[in-house]
C-alpha cells in the first residue's frame, strides 16, 4: 500500500507569486533554471519547505512523535548522554577510560586564597611563638633579659595581677622617694600616712592603666592587631618596673645627685626601648609605627613623673 504523497515523491513547485505551470519551460516560475523549479525529474530537498507543502518531522512538545515536551531543554553540548552502547555523561559509564570532568567542575581555589602568605599588620616573616602564660618570676626577668621572647609568649595572655601589684608598690615607693612627699608621710600620723600611701598607690595604678589604654588605642589606629588585655598590663609593668631602680636610690640619696640623674635618664631610655619592643611584638607593627604608638606614654612618664622627681 502506497504511503502518503509527501512521504513518497517530491513535487515540483512554482515560484511564489509567479504564474505558470510548475516544471514547464518557458513559463514564469517554471522550466529548468528558473526560480522555484525542480532540476529534471529528481528529488528537490527544499520542496517541502515552500508554502503549500508539508514535511513530516517531530515537533517540540509532542512526545508521541519523538519531540521533547515543552519546558524541557536539551542538555548543553558535551553534557548529554553519550552515543552508543556503554557511554555515559563523560564518554563511558562507571568512570571508565577517557572520562574527564567538565571544565566548570574542575576544582579551582577561590580568588585570593591561593598559595600566598597572608599579610599581617607588620609583615613579619617569623610567626609568633605562643606558649603558656609565664609565671611572675619568668615574666619579670624575661622583660629585661629576653623581651622579644617574653612578649611573644605573653601576647595572648592577660597579666592583670602582676601589673596591679607592681602599680600599687610603685605608688608607695613614689610617695616615699620624692623629697616633699617623703617628709609629709614620715612626719604625719599613722592614719594620715596610710591614707596618703593608699591614695598614691591607687592613683599610680589608675595612671598606669590609662597610659596603657592610650598606647593600645594608638597601636590599633596605626594598624596593630594585638589584644588590649596584654597591651595594657605589659605597658604598666614596663613603665613602673624600669623606674623602680631610680626610686630605690631616691630613698637613700638626694634626688639631685648625679647618680640618681644618670639612673633616671638611663631607665627612661630603657623604658622607651622595651615599650616599643612590646608594641612591635604584641601588635605586629614595624619599628616606626611601634615607636609612634608608644611615644605618648613615654612623654607622659617623662613630664609627669621623671622630671618632677629628678628636679
Amino acid at each position: 500500500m502506497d504511503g502518503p504523497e509527501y512521504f513518497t515523491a517530491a513535487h515540483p513547485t512554482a515560484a511564489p507569486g509567479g504564474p505558470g505551470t510548475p516544471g514547464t519551460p518557458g513559463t514564469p516560475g517554471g522550466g529548468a533554471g528558473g526560480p522555484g523549479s525542480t532540476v529534471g525529474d529528481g528529488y528537490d530537498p527544499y520542496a517541502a519547505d515552500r508554502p503549500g507543502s508539508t514535511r513530516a518531522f517531530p515537533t517540540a512538545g509532542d512526545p508521541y512523535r519523538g519531540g521533547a515536551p515543552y519546558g524541557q531543554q536539551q542538555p548543553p553540548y558535551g553534557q548529554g548522554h553519550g552515543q552508543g552502547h556503554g557511554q555515559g555523561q563523560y564518554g563511558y559509564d562507571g568512570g571508565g577510560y577517557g572520562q574527564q570532568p567538565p571544565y566548570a567542575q574542575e576544582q579551582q581555589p577561590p580568588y585570593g586564597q591561593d598559595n600566598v602568605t597572608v599579610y599581617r599588620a607588620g609583615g613579619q616573616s617569623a610567626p609568633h611563638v605562643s606558649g603558656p602564660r609565664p609565671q611572675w618570676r619568668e615574666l619579670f626577668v624575661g622583660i629585661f633579659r629576653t623581651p622579644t621572647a617574653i612578649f611573644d609568649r605573653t601576647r595572648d595572655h592577660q597579666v592583670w595581677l602582676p601589673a596591679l601589684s607592681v602599680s600599687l608598690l610603685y605608688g608607695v615607693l613614689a610617695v616615699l622617694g620624692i623629697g616633699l612627699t617623703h617628709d609629709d608621710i614620715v612626719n604625719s600620723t599613722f592614719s594620715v600616712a596610710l591614707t596618703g600611701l593608699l591614695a598614691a598607690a591607687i592613683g599610680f595604678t589608675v595612671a598606669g592603666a590609662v597610659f596603657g589604654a592610650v598606647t593600645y588605642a594608638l597601636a590599633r589606629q596605626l594598624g596593630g592587631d594585638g589584644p588590649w588585655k596584654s597591651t595594657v598590663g605589659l605597658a604598666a609593668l614596663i613603665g613602673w618596673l624600669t623606674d623602680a631602680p631610680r626610686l630605690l636610690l631616691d630613698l637613700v640619696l638626694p634626688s639631685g645627685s648625679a647618680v640618681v640623674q644618670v639612673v633616671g635618664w638611663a631607665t627612661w631610655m630603657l623604658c622607651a626601648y622595651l615599650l616599643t619592643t612590646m608594641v612591635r611584638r604584641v601588635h605586629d607593627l614595624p619599628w616606626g609605627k611601634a615607636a609612634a604608638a608608644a611615644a605618648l606614654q613615654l612623654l607622659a612618664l617623662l613630664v609627669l613623673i621623671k622630671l618632677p622627681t629628678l628636679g
Side-chain angles (χ1 to χ4, degrees):
M1 182 177 181
D2 294 336
E5 185 178 0
Y6 51 81
F7 284 112
T8 55
H11 297 273
T13 57
T21 302
T24 305
T27 61
S37 63
T38 60
V39 180
D41 293 331
Y43 171 70
D44 186 359
Y46 302 101
D49 295 330
R50 296 191 178 94
S53 301
T54 58
R55 177 187 293 272
F57 56 91
T59 58
D62 188 0
Y64 298 101
R65 292 190 176 184
Y70 288 106
Q72 296 185 4
Q73 301 294 332
Q74 296 293 330
Y77 175 77
Q79 298 184 5
H81 295 287
Q83 299 291 333
H85 178 71
Q87 294 185 1
Q89 183 177 359
Y90 306 134
Y92 293 92
D93 288 335
Y97 174 77
Q99 178 177 354
Q100 296 292 335
Y103 176 77
Q105 297 181 3
E106 293 181 2
Q107 297 295 330
Q108 296 291 339
Y111 179 77
Q113 298 183 8
D114 50 0
N115 295 327
V116 178
T117 303
V118 179
Y119 172 78
R120 300 184 73 243
Q124 295 183 144
S125 57
H128 291 283
V129 181
S130 60
R133 182 171 59 185
Q135 301 297 324
W136 285 38
R137 184 179 180 276
E138 293 180 286
L139 180 62
F140 294 158
V141 175
I143 287 177
F144 296 99
R145 295 186 61 180
T146 56
T148 299
I150 203 66
F151 294 149
D152 286 345
R153 184 176 171 183
T154 320
R155 183 180 188 270
D156 299 324
H157 302 288
Q158 53 86 17
V159 289
W160 296 125
L161 189 57
L164 178 62
S165 302
V166 171
S167 299
L168 293 174
L169 290 176
Y170 180 86
V172 174
L173 286 176
V175 172
L176 296 176
I178 301 174
L180 296 177
T181 57
H182 177 270
D183 296 337
D184 294 338
I185 294 297
V186 171
N187 298 328
S188 62
T189 61
F190 176 78
S191 60
V192 174
L194 182 60
T195 303
L197 292 176
L198 290 177
I202 295 174
F204 278 97
T205 301
V206 174
V210 171
F211 293 160
V214 171
T215 301
Y216 167 78
L218 291 177
R220 297 290 289 188
Q221 288 292 327
L222 294 175
D225 57 357
W228 69 278
K229 56 185 179 181
S230 58
T231 304
V232 176
L234 289 174
L237 280 176
I238 293 170
W240 305 143
L241 284 177
T242 53
D243 198 40
R246 180 190 66 84
L247 291 179
L248 293 176
L249 289 176
D250 276 339
L251 294 176
V252 296
L253 296 175
S255 299
S257 63
V259 176
V260 175
Q261 295 284 334
V262 171
V263 172
W265 287 107
T267 53
W268 184 82
M269 295 179 65
L270 178 62
C271 177
Y273 168 74
L274 292 178
L275 193 61
T276 303
T277 304
M278 184 272 295
V279 175
R280 176 175 175 265
R281 301 303 300 180
V282 172
H283 287 270
D284 194 16
L285 289 174
W287 280 106
K289 291 185 177 182
L296 192 57
Q297 179 175 351
L298 292 172
L299 184 62
L301 291 174
L302 178 65
V303 173
L304 299 178
I305 298 175
K306 289 284 187 177
L307 293 180
T309 55
L310 289 176

